[in-house]
Amino acid sequence: RCQSLQVEDWKHIFHCTSTSAQTAHKSFLTNIRTKLQQLKFSDPMIQASLTGADAWLNTQTPTFPDIHNILNMTISELDPILPLIRTAFTHQSAIGWDQLFCGRLASSWFEAHDKYCDLRHLGPKYYATTTGLSLIKVLLQETLHIWKARNESIHGATYEENQQIRTANADQSIRYYHRIQHKFSQSDQDILFSNTIQTLLDKSLHYKENWVHLCLTCLDPPALTNTESTIDDSSPLTNDSDPSPPLSSAPNIHPFFKIHDSQFR
């Protein structure tokens, strides 16, 4: 996940600026454009709807685009449908552009589309009663693709990739906690850091993840903050400027160690 977040929420999946996320966003817009063209939606409507969606993905306030110049169309060509498209854009902004990714479209989009079908004398299969369901289905499918791409970027697309990512994360955490071991109570230090860092790094993934979890549990409040988590792991494990390790006033054994003590000796 992104370093600035402990947990990525639903909106972050769409607002993430990582390379993999941006690629997924571009794919979404391209595939929706293709589908809208297949369903015979008007170019002004396609431009307006995708401009709004793109702005929301980039955490910008959606504004109605200058369709005349973007599409090089005369005002007379847009007269019958442009006001309807503008109304639909306004309605979608009121509903929320995030709702578009859930398949929740303002009904005025379809009213504008039906008007366009009347003007172009398109067949019944292109009217909103038929194309609406197909469009919503594609929107939901493409939204799931964005989620899947983000999920694979964080956790890996295969079991092997997942193991590599988890191992890298565990090793990074082990190096970090060794850097700040003086923040633990003396009794916890004696148990948690009785092994060398290399010995810990050579352990199984299951062991290392349990060890990291115990470290996090023992720190109250947790010492792992957004600022501290960015410390370069390649720097020395000890720092002369660090204060001396605090002495614990009472050598109480943490409850977790009472259960798992033998695993960390």
Side-chain angles (χ1 to χ4, degrees), residues 63-95:
T63 56
F64 195 75
D66 185 2
I67 292 177
H68 303 90
N69 293 327
I70 294 175
L71 300 178
N72 195 27
M73 299 178 69
T74 64
I75 294 178
S76 61
E77 292 178 285
L78 296 172
D79 272 349
I81 59 173
L82 188 56
L84 296 176
I85 295 174
R86 188 182 293 276
T87 297
F89 190 94
T90 301
H91 289 172
Q92 191 66 52
S93 296
I95 295 172

Side-chain angles (χ1 to χ4, degrees), residues 28 37 65 91 135 232:
F28 174 92
Q37 291 171 340
H91 289 172
L135 175 58
D232 183 5

Side-chain angles (χ1 to χ4, degrees), residues 241-256:
S241 63
D242 285 342
S244 300
L247 297 176
S248 58
S249 57
N252 294 326
I253 301 299
H254 193 279
F256 271 89

Side-chain angles (χ1 to χ4, degrees), residues 117-128:
C117 290
D118 290 339
L119 294 171
R120 293 292 186 269
H121 305 291
L122 299 177
K125 68 177 182 178
Y126 292 111
Y127 279 77

Side-chain angles (χ1 to χ4, degrees), residues 40 146 187 218:
K40 302 297 184 182
I146 291 179
S187 59
C218 289

